[in-house]
Amino acid sequence: MARQKGIIPLEGTIGNITFLKTRDGYLAKEKSSIPASRMYTDPAFARTRENWSEFGNAGKGAKLIRATFNQALRLVKDRRLTGNLVKMLVRVVQSDTVHERGQRRVSAGNLSLLEGFEFNSGSRLDQVLYAPYTVTVDRAEGEVSVSVSPFVPAQAVIAPGGTTHCRVIAAAAAVDFEAGSYSGSLDQSADVPYDQQPVTLPALSCNVPAESTLPLLVVFGVQFMQEVNGSMYPLQNGAFNALAVVKVDVDV
């Protein structure tokens, strides 16, 4: 696919070239001469159909993760999130060593590949928060906690201009990729003034089903706010907020 250049952007089809507008600008692509029916039936396209199937599995997994952490993801704004998450889950699907090509699944892949995934590529957690933190998982009790070491906000947090307060947020869930279901909870700290005063925060605590054998995913991040006349407002609609997968616990 090529990017359009010129003072007059085009949309529509001229000959075998289709012009379209996307989030990445105006693009142009050549129209395929292969009938769709052939793509679905011809043995020569068996690999293509296998790739379609596995890409579909990755897409379903990405949709489930977005639903699982919907409350936390409302605080993060990144138009590339869906594409980046699907791309990562394609890697998870391809790591499945149990099923045949074309049948590989997220649930049978190496879910640990998700650890470190950033939901906001424009504001990475590892470039926003420099205070050490620890994640503790107790499967027997169904408890997950994230503890942040004492820190000075103006020194340990890289905040955008206009920030008056920040908070940390954590969410954890047991995710069943086969059934398309999940169960978990979210916790967040109080609003912390963005200044030079040392802060000690209580551990964030999330509940998941006790003694679950499902994969447990834990996300953690930082949210920035601005106080105006005693009320808190999200800064830039969450464009600078950071959120990442900080733990993937798989029962073995």
Side-chain angles (χ1 to χ4, degrees), residues 31-42 45 48-49 52:
K31 218 172 155 185
S32 175
S33 59
I34 302 173
S37 58
R38 182 183 172 193
M39 299 285 286
Y40 285 105
T41 58
D42 193 327
F45 292 96
T48 299
R49 293 192 292 273
W52 283 349

mmCIF file of all heavy atoms in Angstrom, residues 31-42 45 48-49 52:
data_model
loop_
_atom_site.group_PDB
_atom_site.id
_atom_site.type_symbol
_atom_site.label_atom_id
_atom_site.label_comp_id
_atom_site.label_asym_id
_atom_site.label_seq_id
_atom_site.Cartn_x
_atom_site.Cartn_y
_atom_site.Cartn_z
ATOM 1 N N LYS A 31 -5.898 -2.980 -6.687
ATOM 2 C CA LYS A 31 -7.017 -3.889 -6.547
ATOM 3 C C LYS A 31 -6.559 -5.314 -6.868
ATOM 4 O O LYS A 31 -5.845 -5.542 -7.843
ATOM 5 C CB LYS A 31 -8.108 -3.476 -7.537
ATOM 6 C CG LYS A 31 -9.497 -3.603 -7.016
ATOM 7 C CD LYS A 31 -10.460 -2.983 -8.019
ATOM 8 C CE LYS A 31 -11.815 -3.611 -7.833
ATOM 9 N NZ LYS A 31 -12.751 -3.139 -8.852
ATOM 10 N N SER A 32 -6.960 -6.276 -6.012
ATOM 11 C CA SER A 32 -6.583 -7.665 -6.245
ATOM 12 C C SER A 32 -7.360 -8.245 -7.421
ATOM 13 O O SER A 32 -8.558 -7.977 -7.594
ATOM 14 C CB SER A 32 -6.862 -8.501 -4.988
ATOM 15 O OG SER A 32 -6.613 -9.863 -5.251
ATOM 16 N N SER A 33 -6.659 -9.055 -8.240
ATOM 17 C CA SER A 33 -7.309 -9.680 -9.391
ATOM 18 C C SER A 33 -7.744 -11.112 -9.082
ATOM 19 O O SER A 33 -8.257 -11.813 -9.935
ATOM 20 C CB SER A 33 -6.350 -9.690 -10.583
ATOM 21 O OG SER A 33 -5.167 -10.414 -10.253
ATOM 22 N N ILE A 34 -7.524 -11.540 -7.816
ATOM 23 C CA ILE A 34 -7.864 -12.909 -7.428
ATOM 24 C C ILE A 34 -9.272 -12.935 -6.845
ATOM 25 O O ILE A 34 -9.558 -12.229 -5.877
ATOM 26 C CB ILE A 34 -6.860 -13.442 -6.388
ATOM 27 C CG1 ILE A 34 -5.437 -13.379 -6.953
ATOM 28 C CG2 ILE A 34 -7.212 -14.854 -5.976
ATOM 29 C CD1 ILE A 34 -4.369 -13.721 -5.942
ATOM 30 N N PRO A 35 -10.186 -13.740 -7.389
ATOM 31 C CA PRO A 35 -11.548 -13.824 -6.862
ATOM 32 C C PRO A 35 -11.539 -14.314 -5.413
ATOM 33 O O PRO A 35 -10.750 -15.190 -5.042
ATOM 34 C CB PRO A 35 -12.237 -14.838 -7.781
ATOM 35 C CG PRO A 35 -11.384 -14.887 -9.008
ATOM 36 C CD PRO A 35 -9.987 -14.612 -8.554
ATOM 37 N N ALA A 36 -12.436 -13.775 -4.603
ATOM 38 C CA ALA A 36 -12.505 -14.165 -3.194
ATOM 39 C C ALA A 36 -12.821 -15.646 -3.040
ATOM 40 O O ALA A 36 -12.298 -16.318 -2.143
ATOM 41 C CB ALA A 36 -13.562 -13.324 -2.487
ATOM 42 N N SER A 37 -13.665 -16.188 -3.919
ATOM 43 C CA SER A 37 -14.043 -17.604 -3.832
ATOM 44 C C SER A 37 -12.821 -18.505 -3.957
ATOM 45 O O SER A 37 -12.729 -19.549 -3.302
ATOM 46 C CB SER A 37 -15.060 -17.938 -4.925
ATOM 47 O OG SER A 37 -14.530 -17.654 -6.209
ATOM 48 N N ARG A 38 -11.872 -18.081 -4.802
ATOM 49 C CA ARG A 38 -10.660 -18.884 -4.973
ATOM 50 C C ARG A 38 -9.808 -18.856 -3.709
ATOM 51 O O ARG A 38 -9.214 -19.859 -3.326
ATOM 52 C CB ARG A 38 -9.864 -18.364 -6.170
ATOM 53 C CG ARG A 38 -8.604 -19.169 -6.443
ATOM 54 C CD ARG A 38 -7.785 -18.595 -7.578
ATOM 55 N NE ARG A 38 -6.514 -19.272 -7.694
ATOM 56 C CZ ARG A 38 -5.496 -18.842 -8.425
ATOM 57 N NH1 ARG A 38 -5.648 -17.724 -9.159
ATOM 58 N NH2 ARG A 38 -4.364 -19.511 -8.476
ATOM 59 N N MET A 39 -9.753 -17.693 -3.057
ATOM 60 C CA MET A 39 -8.968 -17.565 -1.822
ATOM 61 C C MET A 39 -9.474 -18.522 -0.744
ATOM 62 O O MET A 39 -8.709 -19.033 0.065
ATOM 63 C CB MET A 39 -9.053 -16.129 -1.302
ATOM 64 C CG MET A 39 -8.516 -15.078 -2.258
ATOM 65 S SD MET A 39 -6.718 -15.039 -2.331
ATOM 66 C CE MET A 39 -6.343 -14.271 -0.776
ATOM 67 N N TYR A 40 -10.795 -18.789 -0.763
ATOM 68 C CA TYR A 40 -11.400 -19.631 0.269
ATOM 69 C C TYR A 40 -11.341 -21.119 -0.055
ATOM 70 O O TYR A 40 -11.555 -21.947 0.824
ATOM 71 C CB TYR A 40 -12.858 -19.225 0.498
ATOM 72 C CG TYR A 40 -13.014 -17.947 1.282
ATOM 73 C CD1 TYR A 40 -13.385 -16.762 0.650
ATOM 74 C CD2 TYR A 40 -12.787 -17.919 2.659
ATOM 75 C CE1 TYR A 40 -13.525 -15.585 1.362
ATOM 76 C CE2 TYR A 40 -12.925 -16.744 3.382
ATOM 77 C CZ TYR A 40 -13.302 -15.579 2.737
ATOM 78 O OH TYR A 40 -13.425 -14.419 3.444
ATOM 79 N N THR A 41 -11.082 -21.484 -1.313
ATOM 80 C CA THR A 41 -11.167 -22.895 -1.694
ATOM 81 C C THR A 41 -9.910 -23.472 -2.333
ATOM 82 O O THR A 41 -9.646 -24.666 -2.211
ATOM 83 C CB THR A 41 -12.344 -23.097 -2.675
ATOM 84 O OG1 THR A 41 -12.145 -22.259 -3.827
ATOM 85 C CG2 THR A 41 -13.669 -22.728 -2.009
ATOM 86 N N ASP A 42 -9.133 -22.651 -3.008
ATOM 87 C CA ASP A 42 -7.979 -23.143 -3.753
ATOM 88 C C ASP A 42 -6.893 -23.639 -2.785
ATOM 89 O O ASP A 42 -6.486 -22.919 -1.870
ATOM 90 C CB ASP A 42 -7.407 -22.009 -4.615
ATOM 91 C CG ASP A 42 -6.421 -22.527 -5.651
ATOM 92 O OD1 ASP A 42 -5.714 -23.515 -5.363
ATOM 93 O OD2 ASP A 42 -6.336 -21.926 -6.739
ATOM 94 N N PHE A 45 -3.931 -21.548 -1.702
ATOM 95 C CA PHE A 45 -4.058 -20.490 -0.691
ATOM 96 C C PHE A 45 -4.298 -21.062 0.702
ATOM 97 O O PHE A 45 -4.834 -20.382 1.582
ATOM 98 C CB PHE A 45 -5.184 -19.528 -1.076
ATOM 99 C CG PHE A 45 -4.877 -18.718 -2.300
ATOM 100 C CD1 PHE A 45 -5.337 -19.122 -3.545
ATOM 101 C CD2 PHE A 45 -4.098 -17.571 -2.218
ATOM 102 C CE1 PHE A 45 -5.038 -18.383 -4.689
ATOM 103 C CE2 PHE A 45 -3.796 -16.837 -3.357
ATOM 104 C CZ PHE A 45 -4.262 -17.245 -4.592
ATOM 105 N N THR A 48 -2.612 -19.048 3.306
ATOM 106 C CA THR A 48 -3.316 -17.781 3.517
ATOM 107 C C THR A 48 -4.498 -17.986 4.455
ATOM 108 O O THR A 48 -4.730 -17.199 5.379
ATOM 109 C CB THR A 48 -3.817 -17.208 2.184
ATOM 110 O OG1 THR A 48 -2.694 -16.969 1.330
ATOM 111 C CG2 THR A 48 -4.580 -15.915 2.391
ATOM 112 N N ARG A 49 -5.256 -19.074 4.232
ATOM 113 C CA ARG A 49 -6.415 -19.345 5.094
ATOM 114 C C ARG A 49 -5.976 -19.666 6.513
ATOM 115 O O ARG A 49 -6.649 -19.289 7.481
ATOM 116 C CB ARG A 49 -7.241 -20.494 4.503
ATOM 117 C CG ARG A 49 -7.915 -20.136 3.176
ATOM 118 C CD ARG A 49 -8.947 -21.194 2.789
ATOM 119 N NE ARG A 49 -8.319 -22.469 2.451
ATOM 120 C CZ ARG A 49 -7.869 -22.782 1.240
ATOM 121 N NH1 ARG A 49 -7.949 -21.902 0.252
ATOM 122 N NH2 ARG A 49 -7.346 -23.967 1.004
ATOM 123 N N TRP A 52 -5.213 -16.406 8.120
ATOM 124 C CA TRP A 52 -6.468 -15.718 8.439
ATOM 125 C C TRP A 52 -7.041 -16.250 9.751
ATOM 126 O O TRP A 52 -7.479 -15.491 10.607
ATOM 127 C CB TRP A 52 -7.491 -15.936 7.327
ATOM 128 C CG TRP A 52 -7.276 -15.106 6.099
ATOM 129 C CD1 TRP A 52 -6.422 -14.054 5.950
ATOM 130 C CD2 TRP A 52 -7.937 -15.272 4.840
ATOM 131 N NE1 TRP A 52 -6.501 -13.550 4.683
ATOM 132 C CE2 TRP A 52 -7.419 -14.260 3.978
ATOM 133 C CE3 TRP A 52 -8.898 -16.144 4.366
ATOM 134 C CZ2 TRP A 52 -7.847 -14.124 2.661
ATOM 135 C CZ3 TRP A 52 -9.335 -16.014 3.054
ATOM 136 C CH2 TRP A 52 -8.814 -15.016 2.211
#
